[in-house]
Amino acid sequence: MEMRSSSTEKFYRIPEGKGPHSVGCTDLMTENAAEGSFLRLYYPSCDAADNEEARWIPDKEYYQGLSDFLNLYRAVGERLFQYYLGSVTCPAKSNAAFKPGEKYPLLIFSHGLGAFRTIYSAICIEMASQGFIVAAVEHRDESASATYYLKKKSISEPQEESTSNMEKEWIYYRKLKMGEEERCLRHKQVQQRAQECIKALNLILKINSGEEVMNVLSSVFDWNSLKDCVDTSRIAVMGHSFGGATVIESLSKEIRFRCGIALDAWMLPVSDDIYQTNVQQPLLFINSEKFQWADNILKMKKLSSNDTNKKMITIKGTVHQSFPDFTFVSGEIIGRFFKLKGEIDPNEAIDISNHASLAFLQKHLSLKKDFDKWDSLVDGIGANVIPGTNIDLSPAEAE
């Protein structure tokens, strides 16, 4: 039931990285509790013809979580997702050998509301192909559609099926309760999300220093191969939507993040005090044309007023879902109906976003690359991109 025809398979495909490096990915989970880290690492890899591509959505529970988030009956949603997406892989080789020999800059990535660690693979794979190590965090603040940690099985449970004495404890998306103020919940969640990004940073740096890290997931990946391969002076944070707010919160809390990129940021969760103390590091806002509104944009402008290292651009013809992978694996009709696709070709949109990101990262991480060929995009100059915003701010400013 989960397979589709090979022609369909090729047509609806997450784009491969365009940089010089092959890309591998692997999952890392620490500690047998919700307080541990959980992330998918994308990295420059050795050629790995024998390794299979990673499954895009690795467990059926993610389909259940997406169903909850979209207000579908779980039984219906799970069957639909399994049928249409069950065989989708992402173009990164699972557990491929890490490519040593140079120090790579590090990028921490934060997902949006109702998302999880695997569904921004087009962005993460492109960054890895261009020579970044990317740690895509899976947040456990109940903003992901679903996530899990491992816990010891109780003695009473049968263990014939597996030799492992561990089991997955699932955490699903939490909806707002009746009468609950959204800002209060989201503010609390964004604090946890920022701490999880900093925790992921600390974890990767610990591995880089040669410390042994216990991965509670069974994996053949050699984590020791990362030793001395992270450029600890070149670290940035990136995220989409709620992840964009998480970028801002993380920059305000952690100076080791030298700059940040917020993709179609949702500003509601951002703390008031951040506007007072301000974020010192350079920050790039890349917005879609259809998602933004005046109040949200004004908050971005408040954060970036009179700072030439804070930039904002808008990609024409894009929607909020032009950044996650769903835009690539949905057909035209479903894509338009669920607003997963905008008027612009999804591949062109993600290229603009990635190229602007790479140019910004080169400048503010002092990279010796050729990403500066895309510098004009950071200023909103080029096909299908404008500087600042398409939103009319005059009525909001007059209020």
Side-chain angles (χ1 to χ4, degrees):
M1 176 181 166
E2 69 180 47
M3 295 305 291
R4 291 171 292 159
S5 74
S6 59
S7 60
T8 311
E9 200 68 39
K10 284 176 190 159
F11 186 71
Y12 299 129
R13 184 157 169 75
I14 296 163
E16 295 181 12
K18 296 178 174 67
H21 299 281
S22 299
V23 177
C25 71
T26 192
D27 289 328
L28 174 62
M29 185 187 290
T30 65
E31 304 163 32
N32 304 329
E35 291 72 40
S37 280
F38 189 17
L39 58 87
R40 174 161 284 193
L41 196 79
Y42 300 85
Y43 52 88
S45 72
C46 302
D47 290 334
D50 295 339
N51 293 61
E52 292 185 354
E53 289 190 344
R55 282 181 67 193
W56 182 48
I57 298 182
D59 297 275
K60 68 176 173 51
E61 284 83 359
Y62 289 104
Y63 301 139
Q64 294 172 359
L66 285 167
S67 302
D68 292 350
F69 182 69
L70 297 169
N71 294 314
L72 297 170
Y73 288 114
R74 276 191 178 186
V76 174
E78 188 181 335
R79 286 175 71 88
L80 279 172
F81 286 124
Q82 182 68 47
Y83 180 73
Y84 284 108
L85 306 175
S87 57
V88 174
T89 58
C90 73
K93 295 298 182 76
S94 184
N95 295 315
F98 180 77
K99 186 180 181 181
E102 62 178 288
K103 286 185 180 286
Y104 301 103
L106 175 63
L107 194 55
I108 306 293
F109 192 94
S110 172
H111 65 72
L113 195 69
F116 38 94
R117 73 189 186 284
T118 68
I119 65 171
Y120 294 88
S121 67
I123 294 170
C124 296
I125 287 169
E126 175 61 15
M127 295 295 149
S129 81
Q130 299 286 0
F132 287 81
I133 293 172
V134 186
V137 176
E138 188 157 288
H139 292 295
R140 288 167 166 164
D141 61 334
E142 298 179 298
S143 69
S145 277
T147 186
Y148 68 93
Y149 60 93
L150 291 181
K151 66 170 191 175
K152 284 188 167 61
K153 285 180 182 171
S154 60
I155 305 299
S156 60
E157 290 180 55
Q159 297 187 15
E160 304 90 53
E161 287 183 30
S162 170
T163 54
S164 170
N165 65 341
M166 307 301 290
E167 65 178 351
K168 293 175 180 177
E169 181 73 15
W170 285 89
I171 303 166
Y172 290 102
Y173 175 74
R174 167 156 121 58
K175 294 187 175 175
L176 280 171
K177 294 167 184 163
M178 189 73 77
E180 184 177 19
E181 190 201 352
E182 182 162 31
R183 192 169 187 278
C184 187
L185 171 64
R186 302 307 180 205
H187 175 62
K188 185 180 172 194
Q189 287 176 320
V190 84
Q191 304 290 318
Q192 180 176 334
R193 285 166 143 261
Q195 288 305 328
E196 287 170 340
C197 287
I198 295 164
K199 203 179 286 184
L201 166 60
N202 290 333
L203 180 61
I204 301 300
L205 294 184
K206 189 187 279 192
I207 293 167
N208 180 65
S209 70
E211 279 190 55
E212 199 73 37
V213 168
M214 172 70 178
N215 186 6
V216 298
L217 303 172
S218 57
S219 169
V220 297
F221 184 73
D222 178 14
W223 287 96
N224 294 322
S225 62
L226 264 69
K227 186 176 186 293
D228 295 328
C229 285
V230 178
D231 188 336
T232 57
S233 68
R234 291 180 168 91
I235 299 165
V237 60
M238 184 178 196
H240 173 244
S241 194
F242 203 171
T246 308
V247 165
I248 294 162
E249 203 76 32
S250 299
L251 288 171
S252 75
K253 286 180 161 60
E254 181 51 77
I255 201 68
R256 288 175 297 174
F257 291 125
R258 281 181 54 183
C259 61
I261 299 169
L263 307 171
D264 232 10
W266 179 40
M267 300 296 287
L268 176 80
V270 175
S271 321
D272 285 335
D273 58 345
I274 285 178
Y275 297 103
Q276 264 67 59
T277 57
N278 219 319
V279 170
Q280 304 304 314
Q281 302 98 312
L283 177 59
L284 173 62
F285 291 104
I286 303 180
N287 293 338
S288 73
E289 185 179 356
K290 302 294 185 189
F291 175 70
Q292 292 298 337
W293 62 101
D295 185 53
N296 209 50
I297 294 287
L298 286 171
K299 285 177 178 172
M300 294 180 196
K301 284 184 166 290
K302 191 175 176 185
L303 201 65
S304 55
S305 58
N306 305 319
D307 185 345
T308 55
N309 286 326
K310 306 266 196 319
K311 298 276 191 180
M312 185 195 300
I313 61 171
T314 299
I315 304 173
K316 293 197 280 189
T318 50
V319 293
H320 196 51
Q321 296 299 325
S322 292
F323 299 95
D325 296 335
F326 285 106
T327 193
F328 302 108
V329 298
S330 57
E332 279 302 316
I333 296 169
I334 287 177
R336 289 294 176 92
F337 183 78
F338 287 107
K339 296 184 178 163
L340 303 174
K341 289 182 188 286
E343 289 150 18
I344 188 173
D345 177 86
N347 290 281
E348 185 181 352
I350 211 73
D351 281 350
I352 293 169
S353 179
N354 287 336
H355 292 166
S357 299
L358 288 164
F360 186 80
L361 291 167
Q362 168 153 332
K363 181 177 180 181
H364 296 293
L365 297 181
S366 309
L367 302 174
K368 292 177 174 62
K369 301 278 188 180
D370 65 347
F371 306 150
D372 54 351
K373 64 190 172 189
W374 298 308
D375 277 351
S376 61
L377 291 174
V378 181
D379 293 317
I381 299 164
N384 291 312
V385 63
I386 59 168
T389 182
N390 61 307
I391 303 296
D392 179 12
L393 300 176
S394 48
E397 286 177 326
E399 281 176 11

